[in-house]
Amino acid sequence: MSTTATPQREVFATRGAFIFAAIGSAVGLGNIWRFPYITYDNGGGAFLIPYLVALLTAGIPLLFFDYAMGHRSRGSAPLAFRMASKVTEPIGWFQTGIAFVIGIYYAAIIAWAGCYMFFSLNQAWGDDAAGFFTGSFLKAGDPGVSFEFVPGVLIPVIIVWIVTLGILLAGVQNGIARFSKIFIPLLVILFLALVVRALFLPGATEGLNALFTPDFAALGDPAVWIAAYGQIFFSLSIAFGIMITYASYLKKKTNLTGSGLVVGFSNSAFEILAGIGVFAALGFMAAAQGSQVSEVADSGIGLAFMAFPTLISEMPGGGIFGFVFFACLVFAGLTSLISIVQVPIQAVREKFRLSNKTSILVIGGAMAIISILLMTTITGLYVLDTMDAWANNIGIVGAAVVGLIAVGWFARKLPVLRDHLNAISSFKVGWFWMIILGGVTTVVLAYMLISQIITYSTKGYEDYPMGIIGVFGWGMIGLLIVLAIVFTLIKWPKKTLDEAEASIADSVEQEKKGA
């Protein structure tokens, strides 16, 4: 691979283009299939109190942190951490590795949703949605690793990767930004139509009562507060390189905190909208089956590919409802996947001075090949589930904790990042932001991380054999740590460091003028 060409850093043409792209990244599958059940299971309407507290004390402050890191250095996650302190660079590479892993399995879920768009039209799952999903569709075997491919999954996954890499090849503005500006409004319109339809179903009121009736006693349970921080944390695309990378494409004078507030509150508004739509539909499903909402409520893959198909079969006009629901999953998933894949592409591009096209074909192509090999077989579901659990609960949370401690406590860069934010932004941050990040957020996330490590170490996961947990859980995390160190040991091209230092020098001048 030639490294003689000097890569030209692309930029978002407008702040609005960045906001659409950032919202597109944040609004993903978790907003639709995770938030409603987490709210229902943790105090209903009362959960919105810790949720809002978590948004204000962790979500938005961490968004500001990522924005400042990326924009100040004009670099990917590894370069941004390298410019904060040489010893923190492995954290950036670890975040990049987590994005690489998530992209591998995220594409498969989008492919499933794409298939279910068309399955909805004739209710292909028949009377047994759960059996159809794991049996006829995925042809799931025993947990383990197999290379027996499932054609009905293989072809859709290939299509998802072709679309994703095609959009990325078009560039930051013409690809990422343009796609987000078209499909985020379309997603909102489609989902609003879906919610309105759900609200007029018999039993919808019971579903909404189940979701929003507050259980204030739950607020005394620390697990409820941890769940709130977890939901905010996982739904905003923070701490695995995305927002650092996207912020690096912004022009020098950009309202970072104002953009962060728009992204943070837009993401939460969509989550609440999703909660209304999902539980109105589940209320109808419970009424149709003569059961309680608690008996049909589910989250994640179970909600999307088992509960909702059953619902679609029972409701009037279910085929169209199902097509729209799964189209929403596809659009939300694609805007997120594009941002996820861009993280390792940009990191490798900067480290090795590659052209955009070369980096996309090498890194994106590698992700696509691994995704196709692992996710389209009869054991793909178990590999996906394990990678997802460890990438999110150990990888992302661990990267956030170590990153905040390293940059905030040891490198003492929070005052520098604060000054950068304040020099170019409308909403100013001060000592409260630094205390929240260095104190409350770090402690809460550390508690989440330690608790999860203990749980996985002592109880395992989903009764999966130790082989699959050892390879795709702990083994994956260990490999990412090793690779983070290896990539750190590779020297940066002098020109890349010079450009980052020049960007920081410009930032210092802006900070002096803004002081």
Side-chain angles (χ1 to χ4, degrees):
M1 292 177 292
S2 173
T3 59
T4 56
T6 300
Q8 180 67 38
R9 172 161 289 277
E10 297 177 277
V11 296
F12 287 114
T14 63
R15 176 172 165 241
F18 163 73
I19 288 174
F20 270 113
I23 292 173
S25 175
V27 173
L29 301 175
N31 297 66
I32 298 172
W33 74 22
R34 191 175 190 273
F35 171 79
Y37 184 80
I38 293 294
T39 301
Y40 167 74
D41 201 40
N42 288 276
F47 179 75
L48 296 179
I49 296 173
Y51 176 82
L52 182 60
V53 170
L55 173 66
L56 297 176
T57 62
I60 289 175
L62 274 166
L63 267 182
F64 291 171
F65 176 83
D66 278 1
Y67 286 177
M69 287 281 288
H71 188 257
R72 191 170 188 270
S73 65
R74 307 277 285 174
S76 60
L79 184 58
F81 276 94
R82 167 69 170 73
M83 301 314 294
S85 173
K86 288 183 180 180
V87 297
T88 64
E89 183 182 333
I91 302 168
W93 282 112
F94 183 77
Q95 289 192 0
T96 301
I98 290 296
F100 189 97
V101 167
I102 292 175
I104 287 171
Y105 67 77
Y106 211 81
I109 303 173
I110 298 168
W112 298 349
C115 292
Y116 268 69
M117 283 172 57
F118 299 101
F119 290 162
S120 297
L121 296 177
N122 64 349
Q123 281 105 66
W125 46 79
D127 297 327
D128 183 11
F132 174 84
F133 176 65
T134 57
S136 302
F137 178 54
L138 295 182
K139 303 188 186 313
D142 295 328
V145 179
S146 168
F147 290 104
E148 182 181 337
F149 293 99
V150 181
V153 178
L154 174 65
I155 295 171
V157 169
I158 292 173
I159 293 171
V160 168
W161 278 109
I162 290 172
V163 170
T164 300
L165 298 183
I167 292 167
L168 289 171
L169 282 169
V172 169
Q173 179 58 35
N174 292 328
I176 297 172
R178 181 170 294 176
F179 181 83
S180 299
K181 287 177 75 173
I182 294 171
F183 283 95
I184 288 301
L186 180 60
L187 170 64
V188 172
I189 292 169
L190 285 176
F191 209 80
L192 275 171
L194 186 149
V195 170
V196 170
R197 176 70 184 95
L199 287 173
F200 286 95
L201 291 170
T205 303
E206 285 71 21
L208 296 180
N209 286 338
L211 175 63
F212 289 117
T213 299
D215 176 13
F216 291 107
L219 299 182
D221 184 356
V224 170
W225 290 82
I226 294 298
Y229 276 87
Q231 177 60 30
I232 285 293
F233 188 70
F234 295 134
S235 72
L236 275 177
S237 295
I238 44 184
F240 60 112
I242 292 176
M243 292 306 175
I244 292 177
T245 303
Y246 271 15
S248 75
Y249 302 137
L250 285 167
K251 295 179 179 178
K252 291 181 180 179
K253 292 185 178 181
T254 302
N255 187 347
L256 294 178
T257 58
S259 301
L261 291 172
V262 172
V263 172
F265 284 109
S266 297
N267 177 73
S268 292
F270 189 88
E271 289 198 316
I272 293 171
L273 179 67
I276 293 171
V278 167
F279 267 80
L282 290 178
F284 163 78
M285 184 174 169
Q289 296 180 356
S291 59
Q292 299 296 313
V293 174
S294 59
E295 297 175 46
V296 298
D298 201 349
S299 66
I301 291 172
L303 172 70
F305 299 104
M306 297 178 190
F308 255 81
T310 302
L311 163 70
I312 291 163
S313 296
E314 295 175 348
M315 67 180 292
I320 300 301
F321 182 93
F323 186 90
V324 172
F325 173 76
F326 286 108
C328 287
L329 288 186
V330 171
F331 295 152
L334 273 176
T335 54
S336 295
L337 179 62
I338 288 164
S339 68
I340 293 166
V341 178
Q342 183 68 10
V343 173
I345 285 172
Q346 185 63 41
V348 171
R349 181 185 179 192
E350 290 174 352
K351 188 78 172 189
F352 298 98
R353 301 295 290 183
L354 302 176
S355 68
N356 185 52
K357 181 178 180 180
T358 300
S359 187
I360 290 170
L361 293 177
V362 171
I363 302 304
M367 293 177 73
I369 291 169
I370 297 171
S371 177
I372 291 166
L373 289 176
L374 290 179
M375 299 299 150
T376 64
T377 69
I378 61 173
T379 54
L381 175 63
Y382 310 112
V383 174
L384 183 154
D385 194 24
T386 306
M387 291 173 70
D388 178 57
W390 263 260
N392 280 284
N393 299 316
I394 305 295
I396 295 179
V397 179
V401 171
V402 176
L404 287 174
I405 291 173
V407 174
W409 294 9
F410 294 106
R412 300 183 182 277
K413 291 295 183 181
L414 289 184
V416 172
L417 298 177
R418 173 203 62 197
D419 292 343
H420 181 71
L421 290 169
N422 289 342
I424 56 177
S425 302
S426 58
F427 179 80
K428 309 299 181 184
V429 297
W431 61 268
F432 180 75
W433 177 73
M434 293 189 293
I435 289 174
I436 286 293
L437 270 186
V440 176
T441 304
T442 302
V443 170
V444 171
L445 293 179
Y447 177 83
M448 287 171 57
L449 176 64
I450 294 168
S451 299
Q452 203 62 68
I453 290 174
I454 292 172
T455 299
Y456 286 164
S457 299
T458 58
K459 298 180 180 179
Y461 180 70
E462 295 288 344
D463 294 325
Y464 289 169
M466 285 306 299
I468 194 168
I469 290 175
V471 173
F472 296 103
W474 298 116
M476 177 194 72
I477 295 295
L479 178 62
L480 292 183
I481 292 172
V482 171
L483 290 176
I485 295 171
V486 169
F487 273 89
T488 299
L489 293 175
I490 299 171
K491 287 187 177 181
W492 285 95
K494 184 176 183 300
K495 193 161 187 177
T496 299
L497 294 180
D498 288 345
E499 289 168 354
E501 287 167 358
S503 176
I504 289 175
D506 287 343
S507 298
V508 171
E509 287 300 314
Q510 284 184 323
E511 291 154 17
K512 288 179 180 178
K513 293 176 183 178

